[in-house]
Structures are given as C-alpha cells and as structure tokens.
Amino acid sequence: MKQYIQSANGSVRRVWVALVLGIAAAGLTGCVAVVAAGAAGTGVAWYSGRLEANLDQNLDAVFTASQKALNQLEFANISNKKSSVDAQLVSRTALDKKVEVTLEKVTDRSTKVIIRVGVFGDETLSMSILDKIKAAL
C-alpha cells in the first residue's frame, strides 16, 4: 500500500509539473515581436495587439506629428485630448476601424507612443502610422 501511495504521489507530481509548464508555455505564445528601429534611437515592440515605441521628442512635438500623420492617412478624427503628461488621439479608418494613438511623457525629451488599431490590433497599419509620425517630426 505504501508503495502505491508513493507511486501515486509521483504521478500527481508529474501531472502537476506538466500542467504548470503547459500554462507557462501558453502564456509565452502571444504575439510578441521586438524590432530595433534605427531612427532617433527608438525601440519598437508589438505586444498584445499594440505597437509601442519611445521617441526622442517632447510630448508636444509628438502630439502635433501624430495629428499630422493621421490627417495624411485621411482618417476621420473622433477626438484629440492632451495634458502636460499624456495625450490620446482617436480616429477611424474608411472601413470604420478604430485607431487609438496614446502618448505618455517619459522625460522632457522622450515620449512613449502606443498605437492600437481595431479590437485585436493590426501590426502593419500600426507600423505605417508610426512611420508617418516619425516622418512628421
């Protein structure tokens, strides 16, 4: 009987370890891509449907460039909100996809840009928007 209990404990332990490893692996399968961008010392990351980048410009300059970029792409402007520490620009594409550009002040000379297109994200369009923002700086 003692041997059976020890054997069962070993099996339970193996199942438990397999379960934990399976959950950990599932958490790592998300769409995460990190790209090193060459312009202006920016790092770009695609994570959970959002494109994130740090730009070496102040919040005001990035806000103005973001407005210009969204206008050049002919997106319908829904709202633009800005404070001294953050900003949000909301637009819609011709196919009615929601485009959110969120800006966060990191330092006086650095701004974090977060771009989300639609519910699940669109990496290609997000990169195009970021490229337009950088070109407008």
Side-chain angles (χ1 to χ4, degrees):
M1 181 76 171
K2 184 178 179 182
Q3 185 177 15
Y4 174 75
I5 292 172
Q6 287 176 341
S7 175
N9 283 341
S11 295
V12 169
R13 188 173 297 131
R14 272 185 253 130
V15 169
W16 180 252
V17 168
L19 181 64
V20 169
L21 290 175
I23 290 170
L28 295 175
T29 60
C31 223
V32 176
V34 176
V35 181
T42 62
V44 178
W46 174 257
Y47 178 73
S48 295
R50 293 186 327 234
L51 183 72
E52 297 184 10
N54 287 324
L55 300 179
D56 292 335
Q57 296 286 333
N58 66 39
L59 180 70
D60 292 330
V62 178
F63 182 75
T64 301
S66 298
Q67 288 177 312
K68 186 175 182 181
L70 295 172
N71 285 335
Q72 285 177 347
L73 290 165
E74 298 181 2
F75 293 163
N77 180 26
I78 303 303
S79 70
N80 291 339
K81 298 183 270 184
K82 182 183 162 304
S83 71
S84 63
V85 295
D86 57 12
Q88 183 181 45
L89 299 95
V90 180
S91 298
R92 292 217 171 250
T93 69
L95 297 177
D96 206 31
K97 283 187 184 178
K98 184 178 182 181
V99 176
E100 288 182 76
V101 178
T102 305
L103 309 175
E104 297 173 358
K105 178 180 176 179
V106 178
T107 67
D108 287 339
R109 295 186 204 137
S110 179
T111 303
K112 181 178 185 178
V113 179
I114 303 164
I115 301 170
R116 182 172 198 98
V117 177
V119 176
F120 301 107
D122 181 330
E123 186 175 7
T124 304
L125 183 53
S126 296
M127 285 298 292
S128 295
I129 295 167
L130 181 61
D131 289 342
K132 290 276 188 192
I133 292 170
K134 285 194 230 177
L137 287 172

